[in-house]
Amino acid sequence: MPRPPSIPLAPGALPVLGHAVPLLRDALAFTSSLPALGPLARIRLGPFSVVMACDPDVTRQVLLDDRTYDKEGPVIERIREVAGNGLSTCPHSSHRRQRRLCQPSFQNDRFPGYAEVFAATAEASSSAWHTGQHLDVTREMMTLTARATMETIFSGELPADVVDRSIDDTTTLVRGVFRRMLTPPLLSRLPIPFNRRFDEARARLLDVVATIVANRRADPTDHGDLMSSLLGAVDDGATLTDAELADQVLTFFIGGTETAANTLAWALHLLATHPDVQEQVTAEARAADGVRPPPLDGVTGRVLTETLRLFPPAWLFTRTLTADTELGGVELPRGTVVAVSPYLIQHRGDLYRDPDRFDPGRWVGRAPDRSAYLPFGAGARKCIGDRFAMTEMVTALHAVLRRWRVEPLSPEPFRPAVEATITARGLTLRVVARDAAPAVGEPSAGAGCPA
């Protein structure tokens, strides 16, 4: 692979491992340090040299030209081990066709129905809680979003035990793929427990998806769900193949479950540590009760916009040059791998005042700058499910906070775990019913902010 010229190498690289150690130790701090090296910096993911875009204009150039900066190369191949060759991972050559075939699933007339499912699922999940319960927030949100996603994709056909196992398998894959991105491919083929767990989780999830596709091919009934929309989509007389359908279902399931769950967990944590903002969201939730879909431009939408700024799920991703080109004043050869980090851009002090502080008020009367706010990407590859995700998350927060108040258990900051996504794994909050007094002996902890 060609080595990009005239770009400073980030400190801390080791032979064979590259920057795996600083990335595994504190990936966010390491990434945030790179702009000091200039608009471009060079890092090493295992044996591969990668150019990091550290400037918003450079980043936007990469994202808007998806023909030159394509989803190819060694890093994206590791992602395809999990998500297949669906809409989020396919190369430019097949992306436009896949996008056209998937687009009807996200038309406006489908969102009231999706929102009904989101609301019913969130209300059913949260109704089982009790005052004073110490909630494993990320696990609860994973269960909620998995059930909601299953219902919207294929009308909840799977038994509860299969859903629970699929949640565990998704977690294993998302956690494992980041480690695989940072280590030589040879290590992924060794028969060690980590690799066996990863391969078994992938096989089980693929088997579930293949069964779903086969069952629905045999039943042409329109169930009014996303799967029916995908099955009926036609572009130039062509439909999605079984393999393409399986990849899309897997892509939407992982995106609708893992990334939405982590964002909801972070939002609940931030609201627990900022009770004044939590009360504003609760008031809005009660005012919007029964509105489907709920408004996305109110205080809850601003809370989620700020949560996605602080903790963008896809915090790092790569593209590969299909032709020689200039980026950031440097001529880069074909085959160069370029990395983009929404986290890096969204935490730059020159773009956001006090960038590590949770401040939903910064979005009052202000739309996010397309160059400085990238949680859903940009350009032709911008996430097709951005509105789907926001509708799901606003609806879920409203359902939870109408019934419950969330409180921190400790004043100590909660630190993220960085994997393929920025996770809130291990986060525990106390829930108190809105019409109940606090549990005896459990005073509310002081507010702390993670960022």
Side-chain angles (χ1 to χ4, degrees), residues 29 52 82 106-107 127 136 204 258 313 324 340 397 427 442 446:
M52 174 69 76
V82 172
F106 298 93
Q107 289 178 341
S127 66
D136 181 344
R204 280 193 299 266
E258 171 78 15
D324 298 352
V340 166
L397 284 181
L427 172 64
E442 296 204 55

Side-chain angles (χ1 to χ4, degrees), residues 12-323:
L14 298 174
V16 182
L17 294 177
H19 288 97
V21 172
L23 281 166
L24 290 171
R25 181 186 297 133
D26 193 341
L28 300 182
F30 173 76
T31 304
S32 295
S33 71
L34 297 178
L37 300 176
L40 298 174
R42 189 160 54 88
I43 63 174
R44 286 179 48 219
L45 300 181
F48 306 113
S49 182
V50 176
V51 173
M52 174 69 76
C54 303
D55 175 85
D57 293 332
V58 170
T59 298
R60 189 161 176 78
Q61 178 182 336
V62 172
L63 295 180
L64 294 188
D65 185 359
D66 64 317
R67 183 184 296 273
T68 302
Y69 301 91
D70 201 359
K71 290 199 173 185
E72 292 287 7
V75 177
I76 197 67
E77 285 301 325
R78 314 314 295 273
I79 307 297
R80 287 188 183 127
E81 292 177 1
V82 172
N85 200 38
L87 190 61
S88 68
T89 53
C90 68
H92 177 272
S93 59
S94 58
H95 176 258
R96 298 298 191 270
R97 172 179 174 272
Q98 289 198 31
R99 182 96 180 190
R100 287 192 298 269
L101 286 164
C102 292
Q103 194 66 57
S105 302
F106 298 93
Q107 289 178 341
N108 290 341
D109 59 355
R110 292 187 170 269
F111 279 88
Y114 291 158
E116 287 290 349
V117 172
F118 298 150
T121 306
E123 287 161 4
S125 295
S126 61
S127 66
W129 303 345
H130 60 83
T131 288
Q133 181 176 347
H134 292 185
L135 205 68
D136 181 344
V137 179
T138 301
R139 181 68 192 191
E140 289 287 340
M141 293 301 103
M142 281 282 285
T143 301
L144 187 162
T145 57
R147 289 174 177 166
T149 303
M150 293 283 189
E151 179 71 23
T152 51
I153 292 178
F154 37 82
S155 303
E157 294 174 350
L158 299 184
D161 62 323
V162 176
V163 174
D164 289 340
R165 190 182 67 197
S166 297
I167 292 171
D168 291 335
D169 289 340
T170 298
T171 301
T172 297
L173 293 176
V174 172
R175 297 180 74 173
V177 74
F178 182 60
R179 185 184 299 184
R180 289 190 170 206
M181 285 170 58
L182 300 179
T183 54
L186 177 63
L187 297 182
S188 300
R189 295 192 287 271
L190 297 178
I192 58 178
F194 168 81
N195 288 335
R196 286 199 298 270
R197 286 193 300 271
F198 184 93
D199 293 338
E200 289 166 1
R202 179 176 55 185
R204 280 193 299 266
L205 204 54
L206 289 173
D207 184 61
V208 168
V209 170
T211 300
I212 292 166
V213 171
N215 290 343
R216 290 298 288 271
R217 284 290 195 197
D219 174 17
T221 305
D222 186 347
H223 295 261
D225 54 18
L226 192 146
M227 188 70 169
S228 293
S229 176
L230 290 173
L231 283 165
V234 179
D235 179 56
D236 251 356
T239 60
L240 289 165
T241 66
D242 282 1
E244 288 174 331
L245 271 171
D247 287 343
Q248 303 308 342
V249 170
L250 192 58
T251 295
F252 293 143
F253 177 72
I254 293 174
T257 299
E258 171 78 15
T259 57
N262 274 303
T263 300
L264 282 170
W266 283 121
L268 287 172
H269 171 63
L270 292 165
L271 291 172
T273 55
H274 296 79
D276 55 332
V277 182
Q278 183 178 168
E279 294 309 309
Q280 294 173 33
V281 173
T282 300
E284 181 176 85
R286 289 175 170 169
D289 192 9
V291 177
R292 303 286 185 266
L296 304 183
D297 57 355
V299 63
T300 314
R302 292 194 293 272
V303 164
L304 287 166
T305 297
E306 182 70 347
T307 303
L308 287 164
R309 185 189 68 80
L310 288 170
F311 304 109
W315 69 276
L316 179 72
F317 49 89
T318 65
R319 299 286 190 268
T320 299
L321 281 174
T322 60

Side-chain angles (χ1 to χ4, degrees), residues 316-359:
L316 179 72
F317 49 89
T318 65
R319 299 286 190 268
T320 299
L321 281 174
T322 60
D324 298 352
T325 194
E326 180 184 327
L327 181 67
V330 178
E331 291 290 337
L332 298 180
R334 176 182 178 179
T336 301
V337 178
V338 179
V340 166
S341 172
Y343 182 91
L344 181 157
I345 297 298
Q346 293 171 187
H347 284 256
R348 284 185 57 132
D350 57 338
L351 300 177
Y352 292 97
R353 182 179 180 183
D354 203 356
D356 296 331
R357 182 168 64 92
F358 174 64
D359 179 17

